[in-house]
Amino acid sequence: MTIRSRFLCVAALLGIIAPTDAMAAGPVCDGIWHDAVRDRDVPVRIRMPDGDGRAPLILFSHGLGGSLDGGTLWAQAWANAGFIVIHLQHPGSDRSLLRSGDGLRMLRQMRSGGGIGDTFRAAMSPEQLDARVRDVKFVLDQIPTRRSEGACALTRIDLAHVGMSGHSFGAHTTQALAGQVFAKTGATTIEPRITASIAFSPSPPRGGSDAQAMVKVAKPFFSITGTADTTPALPDVTAADRERPFRAMPPGDKYLLVLKDATHADFSGNAGGFRQRGPSDHVAAAVIDTTIAFWRWTLSGDRAAKAALDDPKALAARLAVGDRLEHK
């Protein structure tokens, strides 16, 4: 069974979406939005659902060395389910890192277990995280000032219901916008316009206690990881460490999905990435199913979707032996 077919069967079974409105999406539009304050270009890719009505917005932030292709698999499913998705590309921590000889050498070094070099280390700096956070805030500021981007009508965006998501460094970006407190400064960059968040491969706090770092994450938050979720870029971060943000967050509308044997690359949502293949059908279907339920509940007020997400009897339909879906 294909990913598409399995998604439709499971989604219909759980009542998350009706078979008649599944897999219908509108135009995809690329643009470059210029932040005059920072003299910085921010590439965006906009995915529209079918129709002309207003719809909630989901933002996606790629991982280190990524591009607008990051999150494609997830974003296609979310747009098909009725959400508008905007991918952001972050200059300084995007695919430009891989274009230089130094960047390619560092990539080969990481793949062989040699650790991270200066080029990649600099791209993971607090300054780059701050730039990413500002990119997201800039895009949210821009939406009300722009009527369209190509064939994509930005006037359809419902800014009262905004989701934030990202993979790896994009997950770190998502955590920062959700209210993570950083030990060195005691500061937070929380974005009040964001209603709910999904972090693929969350990052454990660096310095200070986990509880202090996560104490201000109050809105719904979904952490997604796997038992093989490690990366040479962060050799000291284990797969178990990816669960720490969820464990430390205050209770109330917090979820954790752990998929057995799923790797760091499985969650990028980019089948055209470093390894040139996507996640297994099971991983893809489990992620698509649970994230759509989460977005339908948090962004569309669908209580049936929340009930499906919370119902232990539904776990067999979405998870395999060794997978875990927790909430608190």
Side-chain angles (χ1 to χ4, degrees):
M1 183 180 290
T2 66
I3 292 174
R4 170 182 169 142
S5 299
R6 187 162 187 257
F7 164 63
L8 287 173
C9 290
V10 174
L13 174 66
L14 296 176
I16 294 171
I17 59 173
T20 55
D21 70 0
M23 310 308 289
V28 178
C29 312
D30 286 2
I32 298 178
W33 294 359
H34 182 71
D35 183 349
V37 173
R38 296 183 294 160
D39 192 23
R40 178 178 171 92
D41 288 335
V42 180
V44 296
R45 175 168 296 157
I46 303 159
R47 295 182 186 275
M48 305 296 294
D50 195 19
D52 55 10
R54 287 171 63 79
L57 171 68
I58 302 168
L59 302 167
F60 189 89
S61 171
H62 62 75
L64 185 67
S67 69
L68 293 177
D69 294 328
T72 294
L73 180 59
W74 320 133
Q76 286 174 335
W78 299 340
N80 292 337
F83 300 96
I84 297 170
V85 183
I86 298 182
H87 307 250
L88 288 78
Q89 186 166 320
H90 305 285
S93 59
D94 62 357
R95 64 184 176 187
S96 62
L97 295 172
L98 307 179
R99 290 175 179 163
S100 68
D102 184 49
L104 292 172
R105 179 178 60 81
M106 295 302 176
L107 179 59
R108 288 193 294 269
Q109 179 176 311
M110 284 193 295
R111 282 176 165 173
S112 64
I116 190 170
D118 292 341
T119 298
F120 281 80
R121 187 176 292 108
M124 297 170 65
S125 67
E127 292 77 17
Q128 287 295 337
L129 177 61
D130 181 67
R132 284 168 158 260
V133 166
R134 291 174 183 272
D135 289 344
V136 174
K137 291 176 179 286
F138 163 70
V139 166
L140 287 173
D141 289 342
Q142 284 292 296
I143 290 169
T145 72
R146 297 171 179 262
R147 294 193 57 82
S148 64
E149 180 66 57
C152 296
L154 302 182
T155 52
R156 293 182 60 193
I157 294 175
D158 177 6
L159 282 175
H161 299 92
V162 177
M164 179 66 208
S165 60
H167 172 246
S168 195
F169 202 6
H172 198 179
T173 306
T174 300
Q175 292 165 220
L177 289 156
Q180 180 172 338
V181 179
F182 296 95
K184 286 187 178 180
T185 62
T188 180
T189 52
I190 191 169
E191 173 47 68
R193 289 171 290 186
I194 292 173
T195 307
S197 304
I198 295 179
F200 296 90
S201 302
S203 295
R206 298 278 183 164
S209 75
D210 289 4
Q212 288 174 333
M214 296 297 167
V215 68
K216 293 186 178 181
V217 180
K219 293 181 180 180
F221 198 103
F222 193 179
S223 300
I224 300 178
T225 184
T227 59
D229 190 353
T230 60
T231 171
L234 294 170
D236 58 331
V237 175
T238 67
D241 286 333
R242 304 282 181 187
E243 300 183 26
R244 285 168 48 193
F246 167 79
R247 306 284 173 212
M249 289 177 189
D253 300 333
K254 308 304 190 304
Y255 289 78
L256 170 69
L257 176 65
V258 182
L259 297 175
K260 186 177 184 296
D261 299 328
T263 68
H264 193 70
D266 282 335
F267 299 115
S268 72
N270 178 15
F274 294 153
R275 63 180 192 164
Q276 297 299 315
R277 68 180 178 87
S280 68
D281 281 2
H282 167 65
V283 168
V287 168
I288 288 170
D289 178 25
T290 54
T291 57
I292 287 179
F294 181 79
W295 292 135
R296 283 196 177 275
W297 159 47
T298 58
L299 302 184
S300 300
D302 187 339
R303 302 302 298 181
K306 178 170 173 38
L309 196 63
D310 291 345
D311 184 3
K313 294 180 182 179
L315 294 180
R318 64 182 74 167
L319 302 179
V321 175
D323 297 341
R324 288 182 283 121
L325 178 59
E326 304 178 35
H327 71 274
K328 61 179 182 178

